[in-house]
Amino acid sequence: MDKKFGFYICSGCGIGEAVNTEWIMDNVPKEEGYSNCTVHPFLCSKEGVDIINQDIKEKGVNTIVIGACSRRVNYDVFKFSGCILERVNLREQVVWSHARPEGWTMPEEVNEDEPDHLQMMAEDYFRMGMVRCEKVSLPVPYKLDAKSDKILIIGGGITGMQAALDASKAGYASTIIEKDGQLGGYAAKVRKQLPIQAPYDQLISPIVQQKIKAVESDSNISIKTSTVVARIAGQPGDFTVTLKAPGEKIEFDVPDPVPPEMRVDEKGKDLEKEKLDEIYKKINEGKADILKLDPNGEKFGAVILTAGWRPYEPAKDEFSHLGYGAIKDVVTNTAFEAIAKNGKIVRPSDGKEAKSVVFIQSPGQGKDDDFSYCGSVTSMVTLKQAKYVREDYSDDGKAFVFYQHMRTPGLSENFYKAMQQDPGIFMSKGDITSVTQDGDSLMVEAKDTLLGESVQVKADMVVLATGMVPVTHDDPVVNLAYRQGPGFRDIGLFDDYVDSNFICFPYETQRTGIYAAGAIRRSLTMEESMEDATGATLKAIQCLKSVDRGEAVHPRAGDQTFPDFFFQRCTQCKRCTEECPFGALDDDEKGTPKPNPTRCRRCGTCMGACPERIINFADYSIDSIGSMVKCIKVPSEDDFDEPPLRILVFLCENDAYPAMDMAGMNRMQWHHDVRFIPVRCLGSVNTIWIKDALSQGMDGVLYIGCKHGDDYQCHFVKGSELAEIRKSKISDALASLALEEERVAMFEIAIDEYDKLPKIINTFMEEVEALGPNPFKGF
């Protein structure tokens, strides 16, 4: 691309009153291709935008640097097709966050003896924007040669059927596969269903049969029962799926790299999913055959995972104080539902009427926990089943509910209140101490009730409100032919639920193009699962449209770049392949990375991981960020008697950069010696940028990004965590420069914690000041 630059500065919003915009323009090279420089008092106005469009049309400008407000605002105004665009944040990042002293007036010429910190900052940022534009190129979208728009739906329960119906309404064909011989899933096994519409206070008959009829009569939906996924290979828009019957052994045209003898332990028992995933992860060299496509597979563009859940089955001695496993009339809520589905509620032990039933929500014994895999749906099911007792024995039926937590979110509160008003349903907070056989009945003892007393309840049955285990706990289900393994990488937070980011992006998994809905994502009611199905379907359609346009899916929706590898220098270290949070990279027999561009979410984690620096994006590269670092002016004693410090801050664009914007909008102040560079994700930060910054005399480097750990909010799942790990290993590089480790630090911040940002920056500045200037300053 033959670049012709246009430079534009807005002097509005206080910018022109705080900095000399003409002096900023003096940074523009005086040579051909750099001659279009304009200062306008209201650049985002129609008149201001027309000036830029006129330069594009008449002067051939195709590379635009705008110094004005944050790139997070007016992004629809400053949009110029076919042009490289850089937005330099002079408003929030400079003049709003660094107030001039009262009575200050604009000097007529530069004071060579006294640094004008605000002017230097504005000039640095504009120069950085200009240099970045010199180094990047216009992205060319990656488009598949052949693409499928068909959606595969794994699981034929109420969630999967709703997803298929929603896809059909949007004009997309789908295939439902169901491992059982019929559709319906657990929804076909219940007596009644929780309310799904206002006033949300009465149980309703199951609607699952209506859904089955609807999908069976829809020409856009094909159904395959008694079918499971043998393997999914490829990438969004071009998945190759091999299907099989449950238990069927399929011999692919190439062998699986994990032979049968490696899939079992020393006792012959199947390995747990985590251990099997680890084996897949370790097998690389010469074992890439599993990544080859099945020539007989079916083509799909996206996958919706609605495989559902299985009941949590406690071990026989897990809740011995509750009598489970020893007393036949102590059952789980799933077993109780099966009894209710078959007719009147009777005791399993002898078939006699069960008119008095105790429902236990928590294991007790002084613990505040619920049973494993529980949620609000478990509370709702308990109330539903208590109502069964009253329906079957309206005169003398009694249901007793003991809980530590009763959760009925939203309008489900109406159902809770309706059950409260039933004279035969009794609810109390309580800690169950024991369940024992008392002749023909059971005796339930509880303490710490709402009345503060211990109570004893005589019952015919006891029901434990056990949870809903996602089927991915036992089986990857999707059986991916990915280098990182057949399932979803465990991030240690969700007990095998398949969400990749429960805060920011519901329905998404860590595998692009595969979306989760229903109880495989979290414990949900049928109503919530159907809503979930709609959301996941829309995500799948969004993915298909993005693939059409050659763009990334969320969170960098619309990004047309993709990682470009300079393979001649690749050392097959496999760091990019292993560290990619989304499994976007496979590898060949030698371990050379094999990109799958439509799997990629453009986070740049691979770029940050690569020690050879051979991975780049068209508009985001090692060179472009490195050049921005190098063009920051670092004053020395040759410039001023007491040269100011320079601190470089890498800001994650997802949480930290918006937080910085909000701090600026609130006129919060931070130290003027700081220079920000926004990055796609902290995971994309390559340590060479740290070395470059420190070796040219910068006094410290700060990473600020999303939170990770138990409260993780990283938009790219593992970026912040990987950045923390890499930063901890940078001590060798600092030692080679004879610099202190304290000169590099990392902080986590949520998007709404903007008020903490100035303190983080200023505190780090004080710590660096205590260390003294970088000894490389001036060299």
Side-chain angles (χ1 to χ4, degrees), residues 7 235 262 290 309 340 357 365 367 421 712 714 727 740 775:
F7 301 96
Q235 57 186 323
M262 289 179 64
I290 193 174
W309 59 284
V357 182
Q365 291 192 312
K367 295 181 180 178
Q421 300 306 313
Y712 98 103
C714 178
K727 185 197 74 66
E740 303 88 344

Side-chain angles (χ1 to χ4, degrees), residues 314-455:
K316 288 193 175 181
D317 58 348
E318 187 174 358
F319 304 119
S320 56
H321 68 291
L322 302 179
Y324 185 78
I327 303 173
K328 287 186 177 180
D329 294 329
V330 178
V331 300
T332 64
N333 47 10
T334 308
F336 186 82
E337 189 72 41
I339 293 170
K341 172 74 172 173
N342 289 331
K344 264 195 168 184
I345 296 168
V346 295
R347 300 193 305 196
S349 61
D350 55 14
K352 291 182 180 180
E353 293 178 338
K355 294 185 177 182
S356 176
V357 182
V358 172
F359 294 89
I360 299 175
Q361 291 290 97
S362 306
Q365 291 192 312
K367 295 181 180 178
D368 189 47
D369 301 333
D370 288 340
F371 292 97
S372 298
Y373 296 96
C374 282
S376 61
V377 61
T378 336
S379 298
M380 298 289 292
V381 167
T382 291
L383 296 176
K384 178 185 79 164
Q385 294 180 343
K387 186 64 175 175
Y388 290 169
V389 179
R390 295 291 294 145
E391 288 178 343
D392 287 358
Y393 307 106
S394 56
D395 294 332
D396 53 355
K398 292 182 177 64
F400 301 87
V401 179
F402 289 99
Y403 60 86
Q404 288 296 334
H405 313 98
M406 178 60 68
R407 304 179 180 93
T408 53
L411 291 173
S412 298
E413 184 76 7
N414 293 346
F415 183 62
Y416 169 71
K417 289 179 178 178
M419 296 304 101
Q420 259 189 332
Q421 300 306 313
D422 190 309
I425 297 178
F426 307 92
M427 297 186 226
S428 176
K429 184 178 175 69
D431 186 349
I432 304 299
T433 57
S434 68
V435 176
T436 55
Q437 191 80 50
D438 184 20
D440 199 31
S441 303
L442 304 178
M443 185 62 68
V444 180
E445 296 188 27
K447 65 178 183 179
D448 298 331
T449 62
L450 287 176
L451 297 177
E453 301 175 355
S454 295
V455 298

Side-chain angles (χ1 to χ4, degrees), residues 648-669:
L648 178 64
V649 181
F650 291 109
L651 281 177
C652 166
E653 69 178 10
N654 297 300
D655 272 24
Y657 191 82
M660 181 275 297
D661 266 356
M662 287 186 277
M665 290 171 68
N666 284 277
R667 306 304 199 271
M668 302 180 77
Q669 308 289 294

Side-chain angles (χ1 to χ4, degrees), residues 460-476:
D460 298 315
M461 282 184 72
V462 169
V463 181
L464 308 184
T466 50
M468 305 162 67
V469 183
V471 296
T472 41
H473 178 76
D474 312 304
D475 183 353

Side-chain angles (χ1 to χ4, degrees), residues 364-640:
Q365 291 192 312
K367 295 181 180 178
D368 189 47
D369 301 333
D370 288 340
F371 292 97
S372 298
Y373 296 96
C374 282
S376 61
V377 61
T378 336
S379 298
M380 298 289 292
V381 167
T382 291
L383 296 176
K384 178 185 79 164
Q385 294 180 343
K387 186 64 175 175
Y388 290 169
V389 179
R390 295 291 294 145
E391 288 178 343
D392 287 358
Y393 307 106
S394 56
D395 294 332
D396 53 355
K398 292 182 177 64
F400 301 87
V401 179
F402 289 99
Y403 60 86
Q404 288 296 334
H405 313 98
M406 178 60 68
R407 304 179 180 93
T408 53
L411 291 173
S412 298
E413 184 76 7
N414 293 346
F415 183 62
Y416 169 71
K417 289 179 178 178
M419 296 304 101
Q420 259 189 332
Q421 300 306 313
D422 190 309
I425 297 178
F426 307 92
M427 297 186 226
S428 176
K429 184 178 175 69
D431 186 349
I432 304 299
T433 57
S434 68
V435 176
T436 55
Q437 191 80 50
D438 184 20
D440 199 31
S441 303
L442 304 178
M443 185 62 68
V444 180
E445 296 188 27
K447 65 178 183 179
D448 298 331
T449 62
L450 287 176
L451 297 177
E453 301 175 355
S454 295
V455 298
Q456 290 184 329
V457 178
K458 198 170 187 178
D460 298 315
M461 282 184 72
V462 169
V463 181
L464 308 184
T466 50
M468 305 162 67
V469 183
V471 296
T472 41
H473 178 76
D474 312 304
D475 183 353
V477 181
V478 288
N479 292 316
L480 298 169
Y482 285 20
R483 173 55 61 220
Q484 289 186 2
F488 301 97
R489 175 181 284 184
D490 178 26
I491 55 176
L493 298 174
F494 306 118
D495 296 321
D496 297 306
Y497 292 114
V498 295
D499 261 347
S500 74
N501 200 312
F502 69 104
I503 293 175
C504 300
F505 308 112
Y507 320 115
E508 293 187 17
T509 71
Q510 286 180 267
R511 299 295 176 251
T512 308
I514 301 177
Y515 302 93
I520 204 163
R521 195 171 75 79
R522 61 185 177 92
S523 297
L524 296 173
T525 65
M526 291 181 199
E527 179 208 11
E528 291 169 330
S529 293
M530 289 188 287
E531 290 179 356
D532 231 39
T534 302
T537 303
L538 291 173
K539 285 279 191 180
I541 293 171
Q542 183 186 48
C543 175
L544 294 173
K545 290 292 187 183
S546 295
V547 171
D548 274 341
R549 295 188 294 264
E551 298 174 351
V553 298
H554 27 267
R556 291 191 60 82
D559 186 349
Q560 293 185 332
T561 66
F562 53 90
D564 182 30
F565 292 73
F566 185 69
F567 286 115
Q568 290 89 329
R569 278 193 15 231
C570 178
T571 61
Q572 290 84 36
C573 71
K574 304 181 182 67
R575 282 185 57 183
C576 59
T577 307
E578 293 175 357
E579 292 187 16
C580 174
F582 306 105
L585 299 171
D586 294 322
D587 50 27
D588 64 15
E589 291 80 358
K590 295 180 180 179
T592 304
K594 179 184 174 185
N596 296 278
T598 65
R599 286 191 210 168
C600 176
R601 301 211 195 165
R602 282 67 165 180
C603 60
T605 298
C606 55
M607 187 174 88
C610 182
E612 294 297 315
R613 304 181 292 284
I614 65 165
I615 306 172
N616 294 283
F617 297 78
D619 63 357
Y620 183 66
S621 64
I622 298 293
D623 189 24
S624 66
I625 302 298
S627 297
M628 292 172 73
V629 172
K630 292 171 185 174
C631 80
I632 298 171
K633 287 191 175 179
V634 181
S636 68
E637 292 180 354
D638 294 336
D639 303 301
F640 304 104

